[in-house]
Amino acid sequence: MDLKNVLFDKSIHFLALMLSGMILLPAIVESILIALLVIILVIKMLVTKNIPPFDKRLFFFCGFYLILLASALLSNNLTEGTSKAKTMVSLFIFPLVFLFFLRNNKEIIKIKEKVLWVNYASCVIFSFISGIAFFLYKNPRYPKKDANFFRNAVDSIQIIGDHPIYISLLISISIIIGFYFLNKHYRTNIKYSTMLVFCQLLQLSILFLLMSKAIIFAMLIALVVLFILQRKWKLIVILFSISSVLLLVVPDKNNRFIELFSYETYSQLDTYNSTSIRFNIFKCNLKILRERPIFGYGLGDVNDKLGSCLSKVFTNERSNYNSHNQYLNIILSTGIFGLIYFLFFLFLYFKVAFSHQDNLLNAILIIFCVSFLFENVLSRQTGVVAFSFFINYLYFCSKNFLKNEIN
């Protein structure tokens, strides 16, 4: 490989390392780094005059975003549609860049560990910062340190604060990565493994204080699958035991899982109960879906249509919620064919993960797929960048690892 290609590839690796620490990056910095990825890709092709041959996988991976873009452009609310398409553009950029730069790059295996470590260290640092924020944060709206206190505290951290659901999502991925490192090193490096255990406990503590039910549930499912794939049956028992104890000892004011088992949650609307809100949103989702299940409403019109339904349910209360279900959001935006494409899109990633025995990719995919049942993860920059970056990066790591093993 000549010097020019080496420099371009090193640049991409550096940007990948930077992006892997996304939990510590302001949104504007994320956007700049993603733009730099595209610029370097274009410059490389112009300077080296080496345009990679067309790969049918590129059309497939980028095809889902093209469906969303078409849906946005056909929306009546074009401003909203193009805004959402702009937010979701990472679904197009990361597979494009990684396919061109990483598909035949043997260095990707070496840098993979660094990318995972930067992500893990960043989440540990953020968890430490969150712990400090919990002590310093004051808000007269939350005189008691309940779950809402901690969730608002983490959202109020200057520069790097974000919605607690997306912070929880990134921390849960980091915890999975922590188990990946523990599995590799617990027999060979006791001190290193002990440090990892403390870091895992710190992140788990923050995760349970934030009490994002959907993310905690998704992470537990992912860990169970991970331990099954690793045939660590005792760890599954330990996991369920620890989780049960934690949920029992957490004070009621901090335990948002209690909402799930209350009859009132489902019988009447309680705007202070997130499960009750989601249940009513779900009913509106199904109501408007019955009107246009084949072609949907368009990416820019879904929230308007949903808001119209919710305004009748919430009366004078806030009713500008999204669908809180990624699968329903896709079918409402693009119709049944868009949803089928998206499910097949996810299936391909799972197929590669299972065929290459990539347990880490499997576990992270499961976190996202379960989270999609309760959140519009791909409608916010943090969620869509996390999904597209990790899934595509680990996918190409798996493909290259298999090639290197054969060679």
Side-chain angles (χ1 to χ4, degrees):
M1 184 181 292
D2 60 34
L3 181 60
K4 291 178 182 178
N5 282 317
V6 170
L7 289 174
F8 283 122
D9 289 348
K10 291 291 184 184
S11 299
I12 292 297
H13 290 158
F14 175 74
L15 292 175
L17 284 171
M18 291 285 291
L19 278 166
S20 64
M22 62 185 70
I23 197 169
L24 295 177
L25 298 178
I28 184 63
V29 176
E30 277 185 4
S31 299
I32 291 171
L33 292 175
I34 293 170
L36 286 174
L37 282 172
V38 178
I39 291 169
I40 292 174
L41 174 62
V42 173
I43 292 174
K44 178 183 179 180
M45 289 190 292
L46 292 175
V47 171
T48 62
K49 298 180 180 179
N50 180 21
I51 299 177
F54 177 78
D55 191 314
K56 62 182 179 181
R57 290 176 298 170
L58 178 62
F59 178 79
F60 181 80
F61 287 128
C62 297
F64 176 62
Y65 177 75
L66 296 178
I67 291 173
L68 292 171
L69 181 60
S71 171
L73 296 176
L74 293 172
S75 303
N76 292 322
N77 190 341
L78 186 60
T79 302
E80 177 71 7
T82 52
S83 175
K84 289 184 177 298
K86 181 180 176 182
T87 300
M88 304 169 83
V89 73
S90 296
L91 292 171
F92 182 86
I93 291 175
F94 283 121
L96 177 73
V97 172
F98 291 158
L99 183 64
F100 281 159
F101 274 105
L102 303 181
R103 61 178 174 179
N104 296 315
N105 192 323
K106 296 180 180 180
E107 295 296 315
I108 189 175
I109 306 303
K110 297 178 182 178
I111 199 175
K112 174 185 172 182
E113 296 290 306
K114 294 179 182 178
V115 167
L116 295 177
W117 258 117
V118 169
N119 174 263
Y120 188 76
S122 298
C123 287
V124 171
I125 292 170
F126 187 92
S127 297
F128 182 74
I129 293 172
S130 298
I132 296 173
F134 295 159
F135 283 103
L136 299 179
Y137 181 69
K138 293 181 181 180
N139 190 325
R141 291 182 59 191
Y142 309 104
K144 298 179 180 179
K145 291 191 175 182
D146 57 7
N148 288 324
F149 171 87
F150 295 114
R151 292 169 69 81
N152 279 272
V154 80
D155 195 15
S156 300
I157 297 174
Q158 292 187 3
I159 301 177
I160 58 174
D162 204 344
H163 194 290
I165 288 174
Y166 295 91
I167 293 298
S168 299
L169 177 65
L170 292 174
I171 289 176
S172 68
I173 292 171
S174 176
I175 290 170
I176 296 293
I177 292 172
F179 279 107
Y180 165 82
F181 285 129
L182 275 170
N183 187 57
K184 288 186 67 175
H185 301 291
Y186 77 97
R187 292 179 178 174
T188 57
N189 194 328
I190 300 300
K191 291 183 180 179
Y192 178 68
S193 298
T194 303
M195 179 194 71
L196 281 173
V197 169
F198 279 110
C199 291
Q200 292 287 84
L201 291 173
L202 171 63
Q203 293 184 96
L204 280 168
S205 299
I206 299 300
L207 190 64
F208 272 86
L209 286 173
L210 294 178
M211 268 290 156
S212 296
K213 304 185 295 296
I215 305 301
I216 292 174
F217 177 68
M219 186 194 69
L220 292 176
I221 296 296
L223 285 174
V224 169
V225 173
L226 181 64
F227 295 152
I228 289 174
L229 292 173
Q230 295 175 344
R231 293 179 174 80
K232 297 184 182 297
W233 311 110
K234 292 181 180 179
L235 286 179
I236 297 176
V237 176
I238 294 172
L239 176 65
F240 274 110
S241 301
I242 293 175
S243 301
S244 301
V245 170
L246 281 174
L247 291 176
L248 289 173
V249 301
V250 170
D252 288 354
K253 65 181 181 180
N254 295 93
N255 194 343
R256 300 172 78 232
F257 279 90
I258 292 175
E259 300 172 357
L260 297 171
F261 306 102
S262 171
Y263 172 76
E264 287 75 17
T265 294
Y266 310 101
S267 61
Q268 59 189 27
L269 173 64
D270 180 355
T271 55
Y272 295 97
N273 180 323
S274 63
T275 305
S276 179
I277 291 172
R278 278 171 168 75
F279 181 68
N280 282 277
I281 292 173
F282 181 72
K283 289 195 294 184
C284 266
N285 283 329
L286 295 183
K287 182 178 179 180
I288 65 174
L289 175 62
R290 286 195 291 267
E291 297 175 17
R292 295 195 66 176
I294 306 299
F295 300 107
Y297 295 93
L299 191 62
D301 298 334
V302 172
N303 282 359
D304 292 339
K305 188 67 178 178
L306 182 61
S308 178
C309 176
L310 290 174
S311 63
K312 300 172 185 177
V313 178
F314 285 73
T315 60
N316 295 327
E317 299 288 343
R318 175 174 174 260
S319 60
N320 59 330
Y321 294 99
N322 62 38
S323 61
H324 280 79
N325 183 303
Q326 192 65 63
Y327 304 108
L328 284 173
N329 181 259
I330 290 170
I331 193 172
L332 288 170
S333 300
T334 64
I336 187 65
F337 299 108
L339 178 63
I340 291 171
Y341 192 103
F342 181 64
L343 293 176
F344 190 65
F345 173 81
L346 293 174
F347 168 76
L348 181 63
Y349 286 108
F350 273 114
K351 181 181 177 182
V352 169
F354 277 108
S355 63
H356 298 169
Q357 298 182 349
D358 190 335
N359 296 336
L360 178 61
L361 177 55
N362 263 318
I364 293 177
L365 272 167
I366 288 169
I367 285 183
F368 279 110
C369 288
V370 176
S371 299
F372 288 162
L373 291 169
F374 309 101
E375 298 294 338
N376 282 18
V377 175
L378 304 183
S379 296
R380 193 179 177 106
Q381 179 171 304
T382 303
V384 72
V385 170
F387 173 79
S388 193
F389 175 83
F390 282 112
I391 299 307
N392 285 293
Y393 191 84
L394 292 175
Y395 169 86
F396 286 107
C397 281
S398 288
K399 296 290 282 188
N400 281 14
F401 180 75
L402 183 64
K403 286 181 182 178
N404 291 341
E405 287 291 294
I406 293 173
N407 295 334

